[in-house]
Amino acid sequence: MIDVWIIWLILIILLLNTISALITVFHRPRNIVTTWAWILVLTLLPILGFLIYAFFGRGIAQEKIFSISNQKHVGLDQLKLMELSERKRQLAIKNQTPEAITNRSDQTRYAEHIIKFFNETEETPLTRHNDVDLVFDGKEKFEKMFNDVSNAKETVHVEYYAFIKSDIGEKFLKLLTQKAKEGLEVRLLYDPWGSNGTRKSWFKEFQAAGGEVLQFITSKNVIAKTRLNYHLHRKIVVVDGCIGWTGGFNVGDQYVNVTEKFGYWRDTHVRIKGVAALLLQERFFQDWNASIERSEEALAFSERYFPSDRFDNKDNIPIQIVTDGPDSRSEVLKDGFIDMIISAKKSVWIQSPYLVPDDPMFTALTIAARSGVDVRIMIPCMPDHPFIYRATQYYANLLTSYGIKIYSYQKGFMHAKASVFDEKICSVGSMNQDFRSYSLNFEANAFIYDSKVSHKVARAFEKDMKDSLLITPEVIKSQGKWLHFKQRFSRLLSPIL
């Protein structure tokens, strides 16, 4: 009799668990693949599945989505007027037609469709009058960026996924505090999930000096901080409204090769001096204004934030700054990448620490490879997140079977999010090739339409190839059955990782 009651109790628990799982999964719209993945987890792992859901599956409150998406494009009209004025000036000087001005470089002609896509989808205009400096090493990045901050005259705005209390973090915060003491406007926005170990008390001296600091809106309470997804993943620094930094480096000791766990940290960042810095400034304003407590504290347009007289640049490099996140109606960055992959004629080279493509991205990559395009992808040789790394290995093996060259970086940890297409367009930013970056986190990428800059990204890729292992059928076979099982199991969870 007791055994019968135990069986009935188990059946009732399983039934209630299944009903709860269905209600949990279907209470908001999801991708069908993600829906089935969550049903699998919640039904096969009673109770434990709901704990996993608490970290990975919960969405963002609608009021927060509204607060982010409802932010005005501060400074965008100013930027458009600047570009229009410059075009008119060139027409008067060179007596060129508007079409000639629009298509005055091979790069912008080649990329005309993607430029239009980003502008119409995300309202991010193409900017010119930019100087670009690519940085591939953490120590060099912080040395150059600290120099820019040290020379700031009016404003310093900083936005990072990870601003970690560490040696390099202490140096950065000390510098920001000093600039605040000098009377500059210094603001810092960070994500507590990425900034593990960082406490509000760490910023007391900075705030006492006049600096302002905020946590991103999606991390405003304890429950939200336990959620792995829907976090600020951007890395943005803007100095005096005319110098901008963005890319893959966060603020922490591992990014300057101090920690033993990862060894050499290979990443890519870009320093932009020019009009594109205004778009980074605008993104910072939107994220800051979404995260403030009271609307009267919102940052408003001012010439000191969006100057029009500080762009005497040597180069004239076309750049778009494209941002994306759960507040967007579509997956703008992912769709743009698919467009460029499908449009490539010769080569598509991608570096990403995570390779967990969804079906559309997977299809785009394999179509390009089968069309004779040289598709190469570089990933790390070690995990920083075990499940994601095993899923990355699964897709690396699978894409290899389609003729795509997958390189495993052996020198240290590959964290760069850099891509180059036909050596005419390159992208540097925070977006990884995985589900989280496609739709769950807030990202920012710089798209640079210049063959010289793209050539530098390609040469860096080739240099990294010398420190990498090409994944071959023999390498895949040597991984063993147990590892292949873990890869396949992780792949099942890839839509929710």
Side-chain angles (χ1 to χ4, degrees), residues 124 144 148 188 194 289 299 356 414 466:
T124 176
K144 290 183 175 181
D148 285 338
L188 170 61
N289 287 345
L299 296 172
V356 190
M414 170 57 64
K466 297 177 181 178

Side-chain angles (χ1 to χ4, degrees), residues 129-132 242-244 271-275 310-311 313:
H129 307 290
N130 297 296
D131 295 337
V132 169
C242 61
I243 297 175
R271 177 187 186 268
I272 301 170
K273 182 181 180 183
V275 180
R310 301 176 186 173
F311 304 110
N313 301 320

Side-chain angles (χ1 to χ4, degrees), residues 173-389:
L173 188 59
K174 184 177 180 180
L175 177 58
L176 295 176
T177 302
Q178 178 58 40
K179 300 308 291 186
K181 289 179 179 178
E182 293 174 12
L184 277 69
E185 178 184 300
V186 186
R187 300 177 188 270
L188 170 61
L189 181 66
Y190 72 100
D191 190 287
W193 175 271
S195 308
N196 186 30
T198 298
R199 301 289 181 265
K200 290 183 179 180
S201 58
W202 185 40
F203 300 105
K204 283 185 178 180
E205 184 179 349
F206 170 66
Q207 291 174 301
E212 296 187 52
V213 59
L214 284 179
Q215 295 180 349
F216 188 56
I217 186 172
T218 57
S219 302
K220 285 295 185 181
N221 54 63
V222 174
I223 295 177
K225 291 175 186 176
T226 64
R227 181 180 54 211
L228 183 59
N229 301 319
Y230 305 105
H231 287 288
L232 178 71
H233 198 238
R234 298 170 184 140
K235 295 90 174 162
I236 294 173
V237 173
V238 184
V239 177
D240 288 339
C242 61
I243 297 175
W245 287 84
T246 194
F249 285 104
N250 285 295
V251 180
D253 286 345
Q254 64 264 43
Y255 303 98
V256 289
N257 314 317
V258 174
T259 58
E260 294 182 5
K261 179 180 179 181
F262 296 108
Y264 183 76
W265 191 278
R266 173 63 180 87
D267 219 322
T268 303
H269 228 72
V270 61
R271 177 187 186 268
I272 301 170
K273 182 181 180 183
V275 180
L278 297 178
L279 287 175
L280 290 171
Q281 182 85 298
E282 186 204 23
R283 182 69 264 173
F284 175 86
F285 270 47
Q286 289 178 287
D287 292 340
W288 182 273
N289 287 345
S291 302
I292 57 175
E293 298 293 340
R294 299 185 298 274
S295 59
E296 58 267 23
E297 298 173 344
L299 296 172
F301 174 82
S302 170
E303 276 283 350
R304 68 194 295 261
Y305 299 135
F306 297 91
S308 58
D309 57 352
R310 301 176 186 173
F311 304 110
D312 183 19
N313 301 320
K314 297 178 182 178
D315 295 323
N316 189 29
I317 298 174
I319 299 176
Q320 276 180 301
I321 302 296
V322 183
T323 61
D324 196 7
D327 56 317
S328 300
R329 296 182 63 182
S330 59
E331 297 171 343
V332 180
L333 280 171
K334 186 198 77 174
D335 292 345
F337 265 79
I338 290 175
D339 187 314
M340 288 184 287
I341 291 168
I342 295 297
S343 301
K345 306 299 181 185
K346 297 180 179 178
S347 61
V348 173
W349 295 1
I350 297 171
Q351 290 177 317
S352 175
Y354 315 126
L355 180 60
V356 190
D358 62 3
D359 287 344
M361 181 63 74
F362 182 89
T363 301
L365 290 168
T366 55
I367 287 176
R370 287 182 290 168
S371 301
V373 175
D374 177 16
V375 182
R376 306 182 191 186
I377 303 175
M378 190 173 293
I379 60 175
C381 68
M382 65 181 79
D384 63 339
H385 301 292
F387 272 109
I388 300 176
Y389 185 68

Side-chain angles (χ1 to χ4, degrees), residues 28-253:
R28 66 183 183 88
R30 297 177 189 270
N31 177 292
I32 187 64
V33 177
T34 304
T35 299
W36 279 110
W38 276 122
I39 290 176
L40 179 68
V41 169
L42 293 173
T43 55
L44 295 185
L45 300 174
I47 301 176
L48 177 61
F50 285 92
L51 293 176
I52 296 174
Y53 183 85
F55 282 91
F56 289 89
R58 290 177 293 120
I60 308 175
Q62 286 302 308
E63 64 269 17
K64 291 186 178 180
I65 284 287
F66 178 79
S67 180
I68 298 168
S69 61
N70 196 45
Q71 295 304 316
K72 296 179 180 179
H73 288 275
V74 180
L76 185 61
D77 291 339
Q78 169 79 351
L79 190 148
K80 289 179 178 179
L81 287 173
M82 287 171 59
E83 288 296 302
L84 179 61
S85 175
E86 175 59 21
R87 290 189 181 192
K88 288 181 178 179
R89 185 183 72 82
Q90 291 189 23
L91 282 170
I93 294 175
K94 300 182 180 180
N95 194 28
Q96 293 179 317
T97 64
E99 290 76 17
I101 294 297
T102 302
N103 301 316
R104 67 180 178 267
S105 72
D106 290 338
Q107 286 74 33
T108 50
R109 270 202 305 273
Y110 170 86
E112 185 176 1
H113 61 290
I114 190 63
I115 293 171
K116 184 177 181 181
F117 169 79
F118 282 141
N119 192 30
E120 293 193 357
T121 307
E122 191 62 19
E123 197 174 1
T124 176
L126 177 70
T127 67
R128 295 180 173 85
H129 307 290
N130 297 296
D131 295 337
V132 169
D133 184 15
L134 292 166
V135 180
F136 305 105
D137 177 80
K139 292 181 179 178
E140 181 185 359
K141 177 249 183 174
F142 283 105
E143 180 181 348
K144 290 183 175 181
M145 192 177 72
F146 286 178
N147 184 63
D148 285 338
V149 174
S150 296
N151 293 323
K153 300 292 188 282
E154 292 185 346
T155 62
V156 179
H157 293 150
V158 178
E159 177 175 336
Y160 274 102
Y161 168 65
F163 198 99
I164 300 170
K165 186 175 182 181
S166 54
D167 288 344
I168 193 67
E170 291 280 6
K171 291 178 182 178
F172 198 178
L173 188 59
K174 184 177 180 180
L175 177 58
L176 295 176
T177 302
Q178 178 58 40
K179 300 308 291 186
K181 289 179 179 178
E182 293 174 12
L184 277 69
E185 178 184 300
V186 186
R187 300 177 188 270
L188 170 61
L189 181 66
Y190 72 100
D191 190 287
W193 175 271
S195 308
N196 186 30
T198 298
R199 301 289 181 265
K200 290 183 179 180
S201 58
W202 185 40
F203 300 105
K204 283 185 178 180
E205 184 179 349
F206 170 66
Q207 291 174 301
E212 296 187 52
V213 59
L214 284 179
Q215 295 180 349
F216 188 56
I217 186 172
T218 57
S219 302
K220 285 295 185 181
N221 54 63
V222 174
I223 295 177
K225 291 175 186 176
T226 64
R227 181 180 54 211
L228 183 59
N229 301 319
Y230 305 105
H231 287 288
L232 178 71
H233 198 238
R234 298 170 184 140
K235 295 90 174 162
I236 294 173
V237 173
V238 184
V239 177
D240 288 339
C242 61
I243 297 175
W245 287 84
T246 194
F249 285 104
N250 285 295
V251 180
D253 286 345

